[in-house]
Amino acid sequence: MAIVVLAVVLLASAIVAYQLLPGKDTGNVRVRATTTTSLYATGLLEYLEQEFRKTHPKVEIDFIPVGSGEALRRAAQGDACIVFVHAPSLEKEYIEKGVIEDGRIFAYNYFIIVGPADDPAGVRRAVNAVDAFRRIYEAGEAGKAKFVSRGDNSGTHVKELSIWRMASLDPHGKKWYLEVGAGMADTLVRANELGAYTLSDIGTYLKLKKDGRIPNLEILYSNSMELINIYSVYLVKSCQGGERKAAEEFAEFLVTHQDLIASYGVEKYGQPLFYPAEGHEDELARIWQQLAES
């Protein structure tokens, strides 16, 4: 009996070893994907992958959540086959370098300015985002406010810096301005701890607020077209073969299943965390071009 059991074990081991031989095609494909943290932290990408795998069970996507700048840098190094980002000016740079191609806008939402409920800088009274940042700067200089920046070359960080530039202000080096070099969730938690202001995408904010992780932060300025946040997906030019084909299929899935994006988060948060690009493609493309050139 022991001999029979041993034979079965050896046979199973041999089968597994054969399947793992170099060049042996098991039919499964792993796709390396670098992504902005907001799409990952909110759970949207994992949800879309689960739906995608219902019709593509042999495809597995390995998400690497980093800031948009880092996502694109890794793509340039050949460490990704598909990229999800929201930083038009950086995207344009990597398109021109020939790193990424076949870009498609698949979703959008808005950046928001959040801070403590007592709002010492008076951001609630701001007429636009530039005015809000000027108020924060003045309050910071007066010792009444702090601002936490992602400081990680992410899409949100790039947007924040562009607002400071439009305000003709430079907060770098100020004691009240803290650069944490972290993702959106960690930045929001730090701002919550310090009673500080920060710029966030609305999706990550709503998730952390619902989860009780940022009880001291409130939305103080929001829903302005000047703070629109556009998400795009790109294929990495150097990626080929089976991984490339699977990446193309997932990108196509995103733009042909926009109802999944529209409904995501509504039941739990009372509103969608992202809006589908479908029906707004031309307008979003125009805005993307303006942001890319700014």
Side-chain angles (χ1 to χ4, degrees):
M1 184 67 174
I3 294 176
V4 173
V5 172
L6 178 60
V8 171
V9 171
L10 290 174
L11 178 60
S13 299
I15 292 172
V16 171
Y18 172 71
Q19 291 176 334
L20 295 177
L21 282 173
K24 175 61 181 176
D25 183 9
T26 63
N28 294 326
V29 179
R30 301 190 77 88
V31 178
R32 296 161 299 158
T34 52
T35 174
T36 175
T37 58
S38 55
L39 292 171
Y40 187 79
T42 55
L44 176 65
L45 283 184
E46 288 189 321
Y47 167 68
L48 292 173
E49 183 205 15
Q50 291 170 4
E51 294 298 313
F52 174 72
R53 293 196 66 194
K54 290 179 181 179
T55 53
H56 298 74
K58 293 186 176 181
V59 177
E60 293 186 31
I61 302 178
D62 294 328
F63 293 112
I64 305 169
V66 288
S68 290
E70 178 67 8
L72 291 164
R73 188 189 70 80
R74 294 193 184 198
Q77 293 182 331
D79 295 334
C81 193
I82 189 170
V83 182
F84 303 89
V85 283
H86 64 141
S89 60
L90 292 179
E91 295 161 36
K92 183 174 182 290
E93 177 183 337
Y94 280 83
I95 290 171
E96 292 173 346
K97 288 180 179 179
V99 174
I100 54 176
E101 59 185 359
D102 298 336
R104 304 174 81 172
I105 296 172
F106 68 94
Y108 71 98
N109 61 14
Y110 297 93
F111 291 111
I112 53 175
I113 300 173
V114 302
D118 60 349
D119 188 18
V123 170
R124 285 192 182 93
R125 301 192 299 274
V127 296
N128 53 42
V130 170
D131 182 32
F133 271 41
R134 283 180 180 147
R135 289 169 179 268
I136 293 170
Y137 188 97
E138 291 170 1
E141 291 292 271
K144 298 179 180 179
K146 293 180 180 179
F147 187 96
V148 177
S149 169
R150 283 184 60 165
D152 62 350
N153 200 32
S154 61
T156 306
H157 184 217
V158 169
K159 184 64 176 180
E160 176 218 318
L161 295 180
S162 74
I163 299 174
W164 287 123
R165 283 196 299 271
M166 287 188 289
S168 299
L169 296 170
D170 184 3
H172 295 89
K174 302 294 185 178
K175 291 183 179 180
W176 53 268
Y177 183 79
L178 297 88
E179 294 181 280
V180 294
M184 195 69 257
D186 290 340
T187 300
L188 282 165
V189 170
R190 186 68 184 279
N192 180 76
E193 293 171 348
L194 296 174
Y197 294 92
T198 193
L199 182 73
S200 173
D201 69 281
I202 192 168
T204 307
Y205 170 83
L206 289 174
K207 184 180 188 306
L208 267 63
K209 190 70 172 178
K210 180 72 173 181
D211 293 345
R213 296 180 61 189
I214 49 173
N216 302 322
L217 295 182
E218 301 292 338
I219 297 176
L220 303 175
Y221 185 82
S222 66
N223 203 29
S224 167
M225 287 304 292
E226 66 184 321
L227 292 182
I228 193 167
N229 183 21
I230 299 174
Y231 291 91
S232 299
V233 57
Y234 294 88
L235 298 173
V236 179
K237 194 170 184 178
S238 62
C239 179
Q240 300 298 325
E243 185 181 5
R244 167 74 179 218
K245 183 176 184 297
E248 289 175 347
E249 291 172 345
F250 187 50
E252 181 67 19
F253 179 85
L254 296 183
V255 297
T256 56
H257 291 73
Q258 294 274 282
D259 57 310
L260 297 176
I261 296 174
S263 62
Y264 184 73
V266 174
E267 183 175 347
K268 184 173 182 179
Y269 304 105
Q271 67 181 85
L273 300 189
F274 303 88
Y275 299 97
E278 187 175 37
H280 306 281
E281 292 91 345
D282 292 344
E283 181 183 8
L284 291 172
R286 177 182 58 78
I287 296 172
W288 183 95
Q289 191 64 40
Q290 291 176 347
L291 294 172
E293 294 174 355
S294 64

